[in-house]
Amino acid sequence: MRTKCIVYTRLSSVNNNYKNIISLNNQYNQCKEYADKNNFEIVKTFEEIGSAKKLYKLPILTKIVNEYHDITLLIRSVCRYSRNTRQGLEYYEKLKESNVKLIFAIDNLIINNNNPHIMNRFRNLMSESEMESAIASKRQKDSIKFRKQMGGYV
C-alpha cells in the first residue's frame, strides 16, 4: 500500500508566464519522481505564487498547515517552503501537532520527529534560504538605485 501525500509548489512572483510554468512543472516533477521512488501516492497538488518571507501571506500553505492532518507534505526543497526561519519552525510545529510528515525531495530531508540532527539541518537550510533571499533583494534594490542615479530606465 502506498502512503498518501500532498505536493506543494511555490513561485515567489509572476515575471514570465512561460518560465513560471516550467518552474512549477519542474518542482512537481521532482516531487513526483521522489514519490514514485519512495512508494508515495500523490492525492492532491497545490500551487502558490508569493514570497515565503512572510508565511502568513501564503494562503494555500497556511490552509495546508491549519487544515490537513495525518498525511505527508512533499515539497521540492526547503526554499520552496520558507525563507523565514522563525515562521518556518512555527508552521512546522503546527504540522507536527497535526501528524503531518514534512519531506523535502531534493534536500533528501524527512522531518517527522524532533531528531536534533535533522532539526538542526532543517534550521540551517531555512537560514540559508532566508539569507539568500535577503542578499538577492539587496542586490535588486541596489541595481534599481544605481539605474535611477544614472538616469536609466527602471
Side-chain angles (χ1 to χ4, degrees):
M1 187 165 137
R2 298 172 72 183
T3 303
K4 295 185 183 310
C5 75
I6 55 178
V7 170
Y8 175 78
T9 60
R10 182 189 63 78
L11 294 174
S12 58
S13 64
V14 178
N15 292 327
N16 179 317
N17 287 337
Y18 179 71
K19 286 182 182 177
N20 289 342
I21 291 168
I22 290 173
S23 178
L24 288 172
N25 284 342
N26 285 342
Q27 288 179 52
Y28 175 79
N29 289 338
Q30 288 171 324
C31 288
K32 179 150 180 24
E33 182 180 327
Y34 182 94
D36 291 343
K37 285 182 182 176
N38 293 280
N39 204 31
F40 285 97
E41 175 189 357
I42 299 172
V43 295
K44 191 157 179 93
T45 301
F46 296 92
E47 294 179 353
E48 184 153 57
I49 297 172
S51 171
K53 289 188 261 184
K54 295 179 181 171
L55 296 185
Y56 61 87
K57 288 189 173 184
L58 295 173
I60 294 171
L61 181 61
T62 301
K63 179 179 177 159
I64 293 168
V65 167
N66 290 326
E67 296 181 12
Y68 277 78
H69 306 277
D70 304 311
I71 197 158
T72 296
L73 174 56
L74 179 56
I75 304 173
R76 177 189 172 272
S77 64
V78 171
C79 71
R80 298 294 86 204
Y81 168 71
S82 178
R83 292 194 181 261
N84 182 313
T85 305
R86 183 183 54 78
Q87 289 178 15
L89 289 170
E90 288 172 4
Y91 269 39
Y92 166 68
E93 287 300 320
K94 290 180 183 180
L95 291 167
K96 186 172 72 170
E97 289 170 11
S98 299
N99 196 34
V100 175
K101 181 195 242 180
L102 194 52
I103 297 179
F104 300 101
I106 68 165
D107 297 319
N108 198 26
L109 185 62
I110 301 169
I111 305 171
N112 63 349
N113 59 38
N114 281 329
N115 177 305
H117 299 292
I118 291 172
M119 290 306 296
N120 190 44
R121 183 161 178 245
F122 182 41
R123 277 189 293 277
N124 287 341
L125 288 169
M126 279 193 293
S127 293
E128 288 172 14
S129 293
E130 187 173 354
M131 184 179 294
E132 177 184 293
S133 178
I135 290 168
S137 179
K138 181 171 180 351
R139 282 187 191 133
Q140 185 178 31
K141 288 175 184 172
D142 289 348
S143 175
I144 290 169
K145 181 179 175 183
F146 177 76
R147 284 182 280 162
K148 282 182 179 179
Q149 288 173 343
M150 300 304 290
Y153 177 75
V154 179

